[in-house]
Amino acid sequence: MKKYDVFVIGSGMAGMTVANKCASKGLRVGITDELPYGGTCALRGCDPKKVIIGATEVRDSAMRLKGKGIDTVPVVNWRDIMAFKQTFVDEMPPKIEKGNRHNDIDTYHSSAKFLSKNTLQLGTDTIEADKIVIATGAKPRVLDFEGGYLALSSTDFLNLKELPQSLLFIGGGYIAFEFAHIAARCGADVTIVHRGKRPLENFEQDIVVHLINATKELGIKLVLATEVSKIEKRDNHYTVTGTTDGKEMTFRTETVFNSAGRQPAIFDLELDKSGIFFSKEGVAVNEYLQSASNPNVYAAGDATDSKGLPLTPVAVMEGHIVASNIIKGNTKKVSYPPMPSVVFTLPTLAAVGLTEAEAKSQKIEYQVNYNEVGNWFNAERLNVKEYAFKTIVDKEYHTILGAHLIGPNAEETINLFAIAIKTKMRINDLRTMIFSYPTLSSDIPYML
């Protein structure tokens, strides 16, 4: 049996952060991952996705400015952009493992299962650790209907050697919209089938409606209030069956993708043997990100049932808190700052802080500023149709409670709103700031 001060399950940003910080303080640390080291964001999520989006941004910009100084719209070469993406992915695992060796972190490549409160089984190895950290992230939700296993995952999309002529996405969340926009701009016929009446339910619907317009304008078929019940493989295509208002309908497509959300990757860890409380939302933790039932265990990132959003920067922050509490004892409580969330479509949708419904439920006296501003200079110079904002202001303190944007550069502009919310900057201070002009952020004073 091998013994450690700290053993980490999962090599994503949360797990890496804990392992390296604890090792830097002289603790004996081990880490394992059954997948290549780097986690979802670096290998199977936001980073490779953003590389691919870069090519579609060029095409989108050329399309909007065709006849306004641009004569030729470029075609995205799928093989080339995937090869470029792979250069970022391939370098990550060996880079991380080299860092582990440099920091004297023992590295394993196996799934882990709990044997007791502080022991694990890793293949043929038995591990005992004073503290065990669960940082296993999340994985696609299982489609528990006939033929559900036939649907490919977001990882599969990011590794397509050739782009299919037609794609269907099951689920109307950010993964479906982002990948649908990529595929449509690369020439594919795309359908999104969503069980709810509204897609992107966690975002402000006054802003989502603009993304829906842009999505349909792109030629993507958006089918709402439709419950998928079956996927069948037929020769060289798939038939997807769904039900809308009691009526059955079918869709024919070359490829089907599961974009019905993600769930914590904890259900194969045999947590019951360790006395760890958990739910479908993740490992139950206290304010120190320590297991609510097993003091030997901590959790960070998407595997945790916390108030943190499933975002990479949040996972890093939680990793630092867990490491600090392991090293110094439970002295650091988790406190979440405003967490910007972005749907990397074109146009980009971004949000931070409270929605109007949340402000209302908290009985806050608030004011809403909402406007469609496709006639503003920044929209017209870029020939952007969908440009809108919705800001929510505290009427008593004159501070920003929430900001919701769609339009060019929204993923950057939203960060300034996050700063303003965190620092409780009064809206008059924002209005009187001098912004560089003409930039997208120079529109902020007019959004308040």
Side-chain angles (χ1 to χ4, degrees):
M1 181 182 291
K2 297 183 180 181
K3 297 186 178 181
Y4 293 92
D5 297 314
V6 181
F7 196 87
V8 181
I9 309 172
S11 70
M13 295 306 298
M16 276 193 284
T17 301
V18 175
N20 284 289
K21 192 168 183 178
C22 288
S24 72
K25 297 300 180 181
L27 298 179
R28 188 181 181 196
V29 178
I31 188 170
T32 190
D33 201 319
E34 59 186 322
L35 297 173
Y37 273 59
T40 297
C41 182
L43 306 182
R44 304 176 292 276
C46 39
D47 286 359
K49 171 193 71 182
K50 199 66 168 71
V51 174
I52 298 171
I53 287 173
T56 64
E57 287 173 335
V58 174
R59 178 172 171 78
D60 175 65
S61 181
M63 284 287 291
R64 286 185 281 105
L65 296 176
K66 185 179 181 182
K68 296 174 173 58
I70 298 296
D71 293 326
T72 304
V73 177
V75 176
V76 176
N77 185 310
W78 186 262
R79 285 193 173 188
D80 284 355
I81 190 58
M82 294 301 277
F84 181 49
K85 175 270 300 182
Q86 201 62 32
T87 62
F88 294 88
V89 173
D90 289 343
E91 71 177 10
M92 189 58 67
K95 181 179 179 180
I96 293 171
E97 294 200 38
K98 181 179 179 181
N100 287 347
R101 290 191 297 270
H102 177 76
N103 293 329
D104 294 324
I105 299 170
D106 288 351
T107 302
Y108 295 80
H109 299 84
S110 175
S111 59
K113 297 183 184 300
F114 277 88
L115 297 175
S116 68
K117 288 191 174 182
N118 65 336
T119 58
L120 297 166
Q121 189 70 47
L122 274 67
T124 59
D125 294 311
T126 302
I127 303 296
E128 180 181 306
D130 292 336
K131 302 296 180 186
I132 296 173
V133 179
I134 299 172
T136 46
K139 61 182 181 180
R141 193 176 304 280
V142 175
L143 298 178
D144 55 356
F145 51 74
E146 183 181 343
Y149 67 92
L150 294 170
L152 300 178
S153 69
S154 57
T155 301
D156 295 319
F157 179 90
L158 292 171
N159 288 310
L160 288 172
K161 293 182 179 179
E162 302 285 349
L163 183 67
Q165 292 183 352
S166 60
L167 305 87
L168 183 144
F169 294 90
I170 299 174
Y174 72 94
I175 293 174
F177 273 79
E178 290 174 345
F179 288 176
H181 273 236
I182 289 172
R185 284 190 169 83
C186 292
D189 181 67
V190 184
T191 302
I192 297 174
V193 181
H194 181 54
R195 66 189 299 180
K197 294 181 180 180
R198 297 178 177 180
L200 297 164
E201 289 104 333
N202 294 328
F203 290 87
E204 189 69 61
Q205 290 300 305
D206 285 339
I207 300 299
V208 171
V209 68
H210 294 281
L211 181 55
I212 290 174
N213 293 339
T215 300
K216 292 179 178 179
E217 182 74 18
L218 195 56
I220 297 169
K221 293 178 281 294
L222 181 59
V223 183
L224 302 176
T226 300
E227 183 85 29
V228 174
S229 58
K230 183 166 56 177
I231 303 173
E232 297 174 280
K233 180 75 168 71
R234 296 184 178 178
D235 298 325
N236 62 345
H237 72 277
Y238 293 88
T239 298
V240 178
T241 302
T243 304
T244 305
D245 293 331
K247 296 181 181 179
E248 192 172 270
M249 57 195 308
T250 59
F251 307 88
R252 177 190 170 106
T253 183
E254 186 178 335
T255 319
V256 185
F257 289 92
N258 173 9
S259 52
R262 296 172 67 80
Q263 62 184 15
I266 60 173
F267 303 109
D268 295 328
L269 296 176
E270 298 189 10
L271 298 179
D272 291 334
K273 294 182 179 179
S274 65
I276 297 172
F277 293 164
F278 65 96
S279 70
K280 64 179 182 179
E281 305 300 328
V283 175
V285 293
N286 60 21
E287 58 194 352
Y288 303 105
L289 295 178
Q290 182 183 41
S291 166
S293 57
N294 182 344
N296 299 315
V297 173
Y298 289 78
D302 294 358
T304 308
D305 182 7
S306 71
K307 294 181 180 179
L309 295 179
L311 303 170
T312 298
V314 175
V316 173
M317 186 193 79
E318 290 184 345
H320 280 293
I321 290 171
V322 166
S324 178
N325 287 329
I326 289 174
I327 294 165
K328 301 177 183 178
N330 286 349
T331 58
K332 196 166 187 177
K333 298 179 181 180
V334 63
S335 177
Y336 296 98
M339 295 173 281
S341 186
V342 176
V343 182
F344 285 102
T345 46
L346 297 173
T348 308
L349 187 152
V352 67
L354 301 182
T355 63
E356 183 178 359
E358 289 169 338
K360 186 175 183 179
S361 69
Q362 294 180 26
K363 295 181 169 43
I364 300 172
E365 289 292 323
Y366 65 89
Q367 173 185 325
V368 171
N369 302 305
Y370 167 74
N371 203 359
E372 302 173 23
V373 289
N375 60 338
W376 283 6
F377 173 72
N378 274 323
E380 291 189 337
R381 70 179 174 85
L382 297 170
N383 198 27
V384 172
K385 292 182 179 179
E386 302 294 343
Y387 187 24
F389 67 88
K390 183 173 184 177
T391 55
I392 301 163
V393 174
D394 189 307
K395 292 178 71 173
E396 180 180 0
Y397 298 103
H398 305 287
T399 54
I400 299 171
L401 297 170
H404 309 270
L405 315 174
I406 188 167
N409 212 43
E411 71 274 22
E412 300 291 348
T413 306
I414 202 67
N415 290 324
L416 299 178
F417 279 106
I419 292 171
I421 294 173
K422 179 176 174 57
T423 59
K424 294 181 171 53
M425 182 181 290
R426 293 170 70 87
I427 59 173
N428 192 54
D429 292 329
L430 267 174
R431 285 173 176 158
T432 55
M433 282 185 63
I434 300 296
F435 290 89
S436 59
Y437 179 86
T439 61
L440 273 298
S441 56
S442 67
D443 287 342
I444 289 176
Y446 305 99
M447 297 179 177
L448 302 173

